[in-house]
């Protein structure tokens, strides 16, 4: 015993940093709260009670640690059964807690591992941190009169402002069907804090005293300043975070979903993840669907009598239904983008089988929104395979009554526009010609095509057309000319002079100070981009003489989206990385030139085929503190009708926000960057004036700003610009 005494004295004399002691106490108290709360709920279940109201307080609660006359108010949020997020004055650290066989806590927080053991004693908390014992005395404020029982207030024995003496009863409370007095611990003038009939719990404040002897008041000041601890967040695997949300824990849903699907490598793994999420959602909700909650809890308790923690977990998940529903809706939007992200591959049928189960849930009020979204996705999935669609498009083109201009503007051609490129080499000359014309009319849909001619010379399809910019008054819009021809990258050095010669034949002079024309080359045998760039470099003089503003290269890829490259005159006809895999007119439709005037742009990956994402650093004449402002731009083109409606505009805006969400994980985007969304709607609107459309959009945007305010603020969106097209009268 004498050795134990020496060791105790030595351990007490070793000091731990105050903030480590406080953080360790917070970890211990948080763990204790969760255990006590869980045990109380399980005890009520074992008694046949079915209330689940105590479950949310297990996972989200406040606690206060007082140490050396300083009060530390913490908020605790569980991120999983083992991970606690502990927040003080807006700063958070995550603690991963496991329990040893002897009951000590092994806690990882602040980048370090600590062994913590605690015991509540009459004088306070005895805490052991890494073998060092610290006594944290309970700090009493003598001016506060608190209850040590649970019950209700019967009556106060003095009036407000009356004098009360130490040891004198000041209130009567009812506890366990008995009336008992509670005595004042000090003398002073009393102020009642509650009214008769108030329900009280142990520790509640009943009254305060203006002490006769003010020197007895002990000042306990709230903590201010920086907490001396490394605030380290636990790094969850993206899939783990996804399933923690399904378990009822609070995360940023949109960011978690975006990260989880960004980590998938192919359509099979992405579909498997989506199906797994749906199955887990259904596993829990099918237990509650169409039933009284009390009956469900009663049956769960019976089925899990030996594991009541499972009952708590299931109810915690169900109580997070709103968040779980948001997760499924966000995930369904991810599935909608699979074809853009993974190309022409087919989504496994197992995913649609899982989604179909959502429509079997009977409570339409609780599950209607997600069931409708899943049903729409299943309906859209009925799109035939690549070969079938290609054959159907071919038949459309061969129809004697086909209107190629009308076909080019069809909303159903949005995905089929790239299919047209596979028909440029069709065995039927009519198919080749009509596919080429439809493609040009579609790509230049936002322009006024004045005339267009497709011919075949020496076995090579050629297309010539003239056009104007439609968003410029005709009196100010110059006539521009375009030319398209198939060529071989292997013989491009020999073919290019002939292509330019064919384009230059009978080419009128453009009344414009600068290059205005376009040349499209369709590679029919490979993707040697360097060879084509070198050939263009050797023909710069001729290209400039022909007034060629941009050369576009299209490379069809079997059963996948074609590749696009652009070689602008302003870059010496060199490949422009910012325009890679961008359809020829996108640069104009997305109005990227005006961005380039004010920002240094860097392109980020995007999922949607018709959207581009850029991070821009503002061009500054002088250096500024903290560096120039950064903006993330999402710019897209929409061929879908119905944009001038709340549902259509919401769908488009949410797709833009999804792209912004994905961009936030890119290391090139800083946490202070603002965000801007631009959408160019291609369908022409009939029967409305610009003023009417503007008024309608103002109303629509007010509605959407209200519905999507949380995401707009989180993603720092400070500008939304929509360009719509009106049919000329």
């Amino acid at each position: 015993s004498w050795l134990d005494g020496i060791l105790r004295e030595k351990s007490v004399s070793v000091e731990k940093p105050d903030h480590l002691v406080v953080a360790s106490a917070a970890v211990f108290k948080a763990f204790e709260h969760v255990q006590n709360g869980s045990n109380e709920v399980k005890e009520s279940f074992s008694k046949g009670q079915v209330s689940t109201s105590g479950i949310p307080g297990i996972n989200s609660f406040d606690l206060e640690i007082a140490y050396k006359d300083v009060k530390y108010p913490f908020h605790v949020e569980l991120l999983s059964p083992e991970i606690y997020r502990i927040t003080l004055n807006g700063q958070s650290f995550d603690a991963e807690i496991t329990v040893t066989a002897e009951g000590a806590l092994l806690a990882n927080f602040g980048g370090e591992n600590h062994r913590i053991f605690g015991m509540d004693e009459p004088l306070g908390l005895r805490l052991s941190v890494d073998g060092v014992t610290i006594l944290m005395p309970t700090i009493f404020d003598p001016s506060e009169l608190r209850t040590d029982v649970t019950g209700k207030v019967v009556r106060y024995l003095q009036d407000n402002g009356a004098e009360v003496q130490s040891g004198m009863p000041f209130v009567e409370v009812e506890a366990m069907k008995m009336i008992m007095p509670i005595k004042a611990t000090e003398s002073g003038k009393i102020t009642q804090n509650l009214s008769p009939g108030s329900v009280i719990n142990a520790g509640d404040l009943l009254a305060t005293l203006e002490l006769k002897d003010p020197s007895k008041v002990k000042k306990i000041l709230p903590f201010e300043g920086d907490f001396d601890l490394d605030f380290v967040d636990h790094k969850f695997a993206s899939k783990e975070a996804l399933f923690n949300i399904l378990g009822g824990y609070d995360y940023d849903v949109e960011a978690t979903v975006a990260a989880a699907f960004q980590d998938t490598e192919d359509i099979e793994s992405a579909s498997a993840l989506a199906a797994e999420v749906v199955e887990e959602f259904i596993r829990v909700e099918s237990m509650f669907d169409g039933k009284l909650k009390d009956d469900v809890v009663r049956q769960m308790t019976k089925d899990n009598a030996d594991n009541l923690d499972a009952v708590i977990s299931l109810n915690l998940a169900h109580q997070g239904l709103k968040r779980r529903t948001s997760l499924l809706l966000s995930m369904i939007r991810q599935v909608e983008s699979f074809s853009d992200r993974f190309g022409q591959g087919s989504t496994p049928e197992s995913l649609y089988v899982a989604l179909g189960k959502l429509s079997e849930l009977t409570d339409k009020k609780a599950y209607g929104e997600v069931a409708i979204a899943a049903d729409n996705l299943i309906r859209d999935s009925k799109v035939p395979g690549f070969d079938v669609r290609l054959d159907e498009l071919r038949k459309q083109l061969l129809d004697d009554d086909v209107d190629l201009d009308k076909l080019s503007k069809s909303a159903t051609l949005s995905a089929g526009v790239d299919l047209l490129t596979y028909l440029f080499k069709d065995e039927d000359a009519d198919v080749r010609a009509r596919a080429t014309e439809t493609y040009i009319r579609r790509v230049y849909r936002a322009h006024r095509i004045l005339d267009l001619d497709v011919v075949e010379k020496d076995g090579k399809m050629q297309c010539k057309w003239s056009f104007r910019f439609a968003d410029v008054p005709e009196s100010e819009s110059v006539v521009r000319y375009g030319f398209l021809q198939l060529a071989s990258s292997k013989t491009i050095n020999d073919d290019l002079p002939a292509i330019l010669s064919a384009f230059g034949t009978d080419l009128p002079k453009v009344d414009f100070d600068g290059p205005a024309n376009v040349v499209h080359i369709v590679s029919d045998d490979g993707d040697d981009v360097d060879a084509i760039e070198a050939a263009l470099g050797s023909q710069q003089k001729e290209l400039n003489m022909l007034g060629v503003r941009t050369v576009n290269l299209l490379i069809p890829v079997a059963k996948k989206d074609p590749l696009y490259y652009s070689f602008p005159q302003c870059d010496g006809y060199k490949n422009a990385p910012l325009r890679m895999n961008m359809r020829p007119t996108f640069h104009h439709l997305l109005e990227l030139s005006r961005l380039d005037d004010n920002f240094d742009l860097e392109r980020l990956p995007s999922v949607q085929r018709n959207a581009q994402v850029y991070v821009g650093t503002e061009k500054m004449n002088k250096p500024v503190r903290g560096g120039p402002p950064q903006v993330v731009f999402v710019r897209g083109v929409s061929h879908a009708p119905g944009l001038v409606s709340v549902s259509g505009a919401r769908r488009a805006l949410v797709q833009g926000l999804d792209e912004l969400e994905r961009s936030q994980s890119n290391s090139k985007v800083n946490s202070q960057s603002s965000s801007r969304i631009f959408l160019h709607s291609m369908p022409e609107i009939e029967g409305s004036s610009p003023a009417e459309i503007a008024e309608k959009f103002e109303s629509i945007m007010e509605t959407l700003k209200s519905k999507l305010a949380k995401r707009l603020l989180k993603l720092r969106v400070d500008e939304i610009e929509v360009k719509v097209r009106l049919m000329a009268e």
Side-chain angles (χ1 to χ4, degrees), residues 490-553:
K490 297 176 182 177
T491 59
I492 188 64
N493 283 315
D494 297 329
D495 293 346
L496 186 57
I499 292 172
L500 298 181
S501 176
F503 178 40
T505 302
D506 302 323
L507 179 67
K509 180 174 174 56
V510 176
D511 185 17
F512 182 68
D513 185 18
N517 301 324
V518 293
V519 171
H520 294 251
I521 298 173
V522 180
S523 175
D524 61 1
D525 66 352
D527 58 354
D528 192 346
V529 179
D530 292 339
I532 292 176
E533 182 179 88
L536 293 174
S538 68
Q539 295 292 321
Q540 276 198 61
K541 182 177 180 180
E542 185 65 20
L543 288 164
N544 282 314
M545 287 178 59
L546 294 171
V548 175
R549 184 182 185 87
T550 308
V551 177
N552 296 288
L553 171 64

Side-chain angles (χ1 to χ4, degrees), residues 219-230:
K219 295 294 183 183
I220 306 174
L221 301 176
F223 173 75
E224 295 179 351
D226 293 328
F227 197 67
D228 188 15
L229 189 76
D230 288 335

Side-chain angles (χ1 to χ4, degrees), residues 697-713:
F697 250 109
E698 187 174 349
S699 173
I700 289 171
M701 290 310 300
E702 286 301 318
T703 300
L704 294 183
K705 282 193 293 183
S706 174
K707 290 184 176 182
L708 300 170
K710 188 174 180 180
R711 288 193 78 189
L712 291 168
L713 288 171

Side-chain angles (χ1 to χ4, degrees), residues 40-56 288 292-302 308 311-312 315 318-319:
E40 287 175 11
V41 173
K42 287 188 286 186
E43 184 178 357
S44 73
F45 286 161
S46 64
K47 293 177 179 178
Q49 298 171 357
V50 293
S51 173
T52 59
S53 60
I55 293 177
F288 293 88
L292 292 174
K293 184 180 75 67
D294 287 359
D295 292 342
V296 174
V297 175
R298 194 173 289 111
Q299 186 62 46
M300 283 181 178
T301 303
K302 182 179 178 181
L308 293 177
V311 182
I312 293 178
N315 280 276
H318 178 64
Q319 288 173 349

